[in-house]
Amino acid sequence: MLPHRTDFPNGFLFGTATSAYQIEGHSKGGAGRTHWDDFAATPGNVAGAENGAVACGHLDRWAEDLDLVQDAGFDVYRFSTSWARVLPEGRGTPNAAGLDFYDRLVDGMLERGIKPAATLYHWELPSPLADLGGWRNRDIANWFADFTEVIMSRIGDRVWSAAPINEPWCVSWLSHFDGHHAPGLRDIRATARAMHHVLLAHGRAIEVMRGLGMSNLGAVCNMEYAAPVDDSPGAQKAARVQDAIYNRFFLSGITKGTYPDAVLEGIEPHLPDGWPHDFQTITAPIDWIGVNYYTRKIYGPAEDPSAPWPATREHDGPLPKTAMGWEVYPEGLTHFLNMVASEYTGDLPIYVTENGMAGLVERKGDATDDPDRTAYLAAHMGVVQDAITEGIPVKGYFTWSLLDNYEWALGYAPRFGLVHVDFETLERTPKASYHALRKALSRP
Ligand code: PNW
C-alpha cells in the first residue's frame, strides 16, 4: 500500500521524471547528432544497437504526456533539455525549433499547474564536442556555460528549479572507466579528468543561472549503497573505496571543496594541473541536493592482488532483484538521506529526484499489471516518511519514470514506466502503479 499525500508534511512535493534523449525522439525537430547516436551505432555497445531516434515520440506527444503527469496528481515534473536539440553543433547557432519546443513544454506545465524542474544535461553530448574530447577537455566547462546561457535565457524565467548535470558519476565513471555508457572508454586518466570537469561545468552553470537571476538551483547525484561481501579487511576496504568514488566524491566536491582521500589515491596523478583552484567555482552555492537512488552493490577485493586501483570486484547479492538485476534495498535510501544531511548538506533541502524499478514484461496485458513496482515505490516512500520524522529535510520525491523509455545501453527492454509505451504504435497505457499513485496523490 502506498502512503497517502496527507501522510507527508504540508507542502511536500511529489513528482515524476524523464530525460530528453530517453523519450523525445532525437531524429525529429532539427536536433544534432550526439555521442549516444555514435555509441549505439558501434556494435556491441547497446542491446540491439537501439538508439533514441524515435524513443517515445514525446516531441509530438508532449501534451498527452503532460496530461498524464497532471492526471496522476504530480506537483512537479522533472525533465531535461537536450544540448544537441538546442545547439545542434554543441556551440554556435541555436536551433529555433528546439528552443520553441522547451518553451512550449514549460508553458504546458504551467498551464496544467505543474512545476517545471529542469535538468540541463542528461547525457546526450553533441558529437562535435565529443570529437573534441568531450568531458576530457577542460573547455567543456565553457561550452556548457554557453549552452546554459542559451537555454535558460529562454525558459529560466519560468522553471521552478534547475540542476546542471544529471548524475556526475554516470557521466564520468560509468562512461569513461566502466565503458558502459557513451563514449565507452575504459581509461583512468580520461575518468579522472571527466570527474573533475563535470563538476567544473556544474559550477559554471550555477554561476550563469545566478547571473540570469534564477533561484532554486541544485545538484543531482546518484547514490548506490556499497556493501562488503564479508567482514574481511579487504572487502571492507573495497566497499569503502567504491562508496568514496560513487557516493562521496561529487557531493564532497560541491559542498566542501575537497575530494575524498580514498579517491585521490587513485586519480590525483591524472587530474588536470591546478585542479584545487577550481573549487571556488565548483562550490558555487546551491539551494538543494537531489539524490537518485535505486539499489546496492556488493564488493570484495580484486582477485589479482596486483590489480590497479580501485582493485575491487563486484559480487552477486542475495536479495530479490528487478529486471535490471538490481537488488531491492530500501535501507540504502535510509542510509543516504542520513549521510547526505549529517555529513554534507546540513539543513539544505533534499529531494529524492529519482527512484523506481524496471520490469521486463513485453506483453501489454501483463505489462500494465505491475504490483512489484507499487510495492517498490511504497517501501521507498515509507523510508522518506521515516526520514522526515527523524528530522531530515526531505522535501520531495520523484518516481523514475513517467514512461517506459530508452534505457541506455540496455535499449528498450527494461521498462521503468508508470505508463506502458507500445514502441510500435507509441500508444501510452497507464499501469496499475500509475493508478495506485493517482489515488495516493489525490487531494482530500
Ligand atoms: C539513472 N548504473 O541512470 C538515470 O538518471 C536514468 O536516465 C536511467 O534511466 C535510470 O537511472 C535507470 O537506470 C543510471 O549502471 C544508469 O549504476 C545506470 C546506473 C546508475 C544510474
Side-chain angles (χ1 to χ4, degrees), residues 19 22 122-123 166-167 169-170 174 181 222 224 246 292 294 297 324 326 354 400 405-408 416:
S19 90
Q22 292 179 277
H122 200 127
W123 306 354
N166 182 66
E167 303 184 343
W169 178 87
C170 288
L174 185 68
H181 280 189
N222 51 320
E224 194 176 84
Y246 204 122
N292 293 356
Y294 292 93
K297 283 210 175 77
M324 297 293 279
W326 292 355
E354 282 182 27
W400 181 271
N405 60 47
Y406 179 63
E407 182 48 35
W408 306 111
F416 272 93

Side-chain angles (χ1 to χ4, degrees), residues 41-230:
T42 307
N45 284 337
V46 177
E50 288 173 322
N51 61 32
V54 178
C56 305
H58 172 75
L59 195 72
D60 297 322
R61 292 167 185 259
W62 60 271
E64 179 187 348
D65 293 338
L66 292 185
D67 288 345
L68 285 164
V69 176
Q70 181 187 33
D71 288 349
F74 287 115
D75 310 296
V76 199
Y77 175 54
R78 179 170 173 256
F79 69 108
S80 78
T81 52
S82 164
W83 189 340
R85 182 174 298 293
V86 171
L87 294 166
E89 297 297 317
R91 301 178 282 180
T93 312
N95 168 29
L99 285 167
D100 290 347
F101 172 69
Y102 294 115
D103 201 47
R104 270 198 308 275
L105 190 68
V106 166
D107 282 344
M109 287 178 231
L110 297 177
E111 282 158 18
R112 289 168 179 79
I114 303 163
K115 298 183 195 311
T119 302
L120 280 152
Y121 180 79
H122 200 127
W123 306 354
E124 63 286 80
L125 187 68
S127 295
L129 302 183
D131 293 343
L132 294 173
W135 292 102
R136 288 166 284 161
N137 187 335
R138 183 182 176 86
D139 291 343
I140 197 157
N142 293 329
W143 305 332
F144 188 64
D146 291 345
F147 161 55
T148 301
E149 174 103 37
V150 171
I151 179 67
M152 287 305 168
S153 299
R154 187 67 180 266
I155 64 171
D157 57 334
R158 280 157 296 142
V159 296
W160 170 76
S161 75
I165 287 160
N166 182 66
E167 303 184 343
W169 178 87
C170 288
V171 174
S172 53
W173 194 270
L174 185 68
S175 309
H176 297 78
F177 190 85
D178 293 333
H180 294 164
H181 280 189
L185 301 180
R186 295 170 193 270
D187 177 328
I188 187 62
R189 191 171 179 80
T191 303
R193 285 166 184 260
M195 288 168 93
H196 184 71
H197 293 152
V198 77
L199 289 179
L200 184 60
H202 156 89
R204 288 293 310 278
I206 294 286
E207 289 172 352
V208 167
M209 292 193 282
R210 292 285 179 215
L212 292 171
M214 292 174 62
S215 53
N216 206 18
L217 309 179
V220 174
C221 295
N222 51 320
M223 309 259 143
E224 194 176 84
Y225 192 83
V229 66
D230 55 37

